[in-house]
Amino acid sequence: MVAIYNHDLNRYWNDVFADLACVPHPDPWCNIDPLPIRSNEVSDAYAVRFSSMDGYPLFAYLHIPKSDGPHIPLFQAPGYGSVVAVPAYERRAQYAVLALCHRGQRLSNSEYQASYPGLLTDGLLSPDGDYVWQRIVLDCLRAVELLVQQENLDATRLAMSGGDLAWITAALWDASDYLDEETLEFVKTDVLQTGGFIFADLENRMTGEPDYPVREFNDYKRTYPGKWDEAKELLANYDPKVLAKNINTRKVMISCGPGEEQYVRELASALSGETTVRVNLGKGHLDHIAQEEWLANACGIEPGPAHYPRTS
């Protein structure tokens, strides 16, 4: 059943879904095929090919644990880059995890190839209003819809992980009325592990010459100075603070760097659920382990077996 998005969204996102509803689209299709090369002793892997809400063909990795279910569904939102890797070993052991390749990324680029840098401003203020990130968000929502329909899952424990796209997807999903046909209960996000936002606090982060990808907005502003005020107004709809009121997740972890802590704590204060703010150490392995252990604890399970020791 397709999720129905309601009036609790702001005007921008309501208009996106209203426009989508007015355009006829082909029936959604989905093929799920075994992917032996990505399977291992803890999980079975599948190649998922399916259509987005507007009919665009997408690819995702789906990993189902070999242990008994029902399993916790975990949507791994794509990051900002051309290639999406298979989920981490420990995730594959503990969750039914779907790792989406959104349109433009490798394996989902048959009709559109994303540019890096360039994707953040592709279609921004285009005459037809088709900013590519609108469509990428639709890709994520369609992927979650597909994930929660898989067998042997507990959809009431839906988890999401990732950066901006995890946050935006959780906010829009939680503003939807997606009814599970078996339980007749509405499916909402239970746990969200997120951080590393691109669209957050842009005005401050664009000061000077920031690193890419934020610098893409500086490039756009420099190229189209007369359009920047309008562009900034549109981009505000992707700011985590704007969508915070739609996050109804039971437990949230937001990871950040030291320079982002003030913004993130203000963001956390706007949430209704139990929220943890973690300032990263800047040590990739230790930060990864801390995030994975928090995610498992929030979901009420043991962390999956890691390939490397959990040292502090």
Side-chain angles (χ1 to χ4, degrees):
M1 181 181 293
V2 176
I4 305 300
Y5 297 88
N6 61 38
H7 61 276
D8 289 337
L9 296 171
N10 67 16
R11 180 175 178 179
Y12 173 83
W13 289 110
N14 266 328
D15 288 348
V16 169
F17 292 108
D19 291 344
L20 183 71
C22 294
V23 178
H25 300 296
D27 291 335
W29 60 272
C30 177
N31 291 325
I32 302 179
D33 300 311
L35 193 61
I37 196 172
R38 299 299 185 188
S39 298
N40 59 16
E41 70 278 9
V42 297
S43 67
D44 293 315
Y46 300 88
V48 185
R49 295 174 176 85
F50 61 107
S51 60
S52 188
M53 290 184 179
D54 60 356
Y56 186 95
L58 297 170
F59 177 90
Y61 295 105
L62 175 63
H63 294 264
I64 305 295
K66 290 185 175 180
S67 58
D68 294 335
H71 304 297
I72 295 172
L74 171 62
F75 172 59
Q76 181 172 298
Y80 192 73
S82 60
V83 177
V84 173
V86 297
Y89 181 85
E90 57 266 37
R91 287 191 174 186
R92 287 178 271 163
Q94 294 295 83
Y95 309 91
V97 54
L98 185 81
L100 170 69
C101 305
H102 69 60
R103 68 187 64 202
Q105 292 181 316
R106 295 281 180 85
L107 303 177
S108 290
N109 60 351
S110 62
E111 298 183 10
Y112 168 73
Q113 295 188 16
S115 297
Y116 298 93
L119 182 64
L120 281 178
T121 57
D122 192 353
L124 185 62
L125 300 186
S126 63
D128 57 6
D130 197 14
Y131 181 36
V132 69
W133 280 85
Q134 288 183 5
R135 301 298 174 177
I136 288 173
V137 169
L138 298 183
D139 297 345
C140 292
L141 289 165
R142 175 74 175 104
V144 176
E145 182 183 310
L146 183 151
L147 173 60
V148 297
Q149 293 183 65
Q150 299 308 302
E151 297 179 353
N152 200 22
L153 301 182
D154 183 354
T156 65
R157 301 170 74 187
L158 173 64
M160 298 190 191
S161 176
D164 296 80
L165 287 174
W167 183 273
I168 297 169
T169 302
L172 299 186
W173 182 264
D174 286 353
S176 73
D177 294 330
Y178 187 92
L179 189 67
D180 180 74
E181 294 177 336
E182 292 187 3
T183 66
L184 298 181
E185 294 182 359
F186 291 111
V187 178
K188 303 297 182 184
T189 311
D190 185 51
V191 173
L192 173 63
Q193 187 269 314
T194 188
F197 300 124
I198 297 173
F199 291 95
D201 199 22
L202 279 182
E203 198 70 16
N204 290 325
R205 294 169 65 218
M206 287 174 59
T207 302
E209 289 294 339
D211 293 334
Y212 287 100
V214 172
R215 193 167 178 174
E216 291 183 38
F217 295 122
N218 293 60
D219 295 341
Y220 186 93
K221 181 179 180 180
R222 185 163 43 248
T223 305
Y224 306 105
K227 295 183 177 181
W228 178 244
D229 286 343
E230 185 180 356
K232 185 170 61 175
E233 183 176 346
L234 185 152
L235 291 170
N237 294 288
Y238 295 80
D239 189 317
K241 281 188 178 179
V242 171
L243 292 164
K245 68 181 180 66
N246 294 114
I247 298 285
N248 297 313
T249 308
R250 180 177 59 88
K251 289 191 175 184
V252 180
M253 176 194 222
I254 310 175
S255 300
C256 65
E260 305 166 304
E261 184 175 1
Q262 181 178 348
Y263 171 91
V264 167
R265 291 201 179 279
E266 292 173 359
L267 179 62
S269 68
L271 303 182
S272 58
E274 179 185 327
T275 306
T276 299
V277 173
R278 182 180 187 277
V279 180
N280 290 328
L281 302 175
K283 299 179 179 179
H285 172 61
L286 295 181
D287 290 331
H288 168 78
I289 292 300
Q291 291 162 7
E292 292 304 308
E293 290 188 342
W294 179 91
L295 180 62
N297 290 334
C299 291
I301 60 175
E302 291 294 322
H307 275 176
Y308 302 101
R310 292 181 171 85
T311 57
S312 57

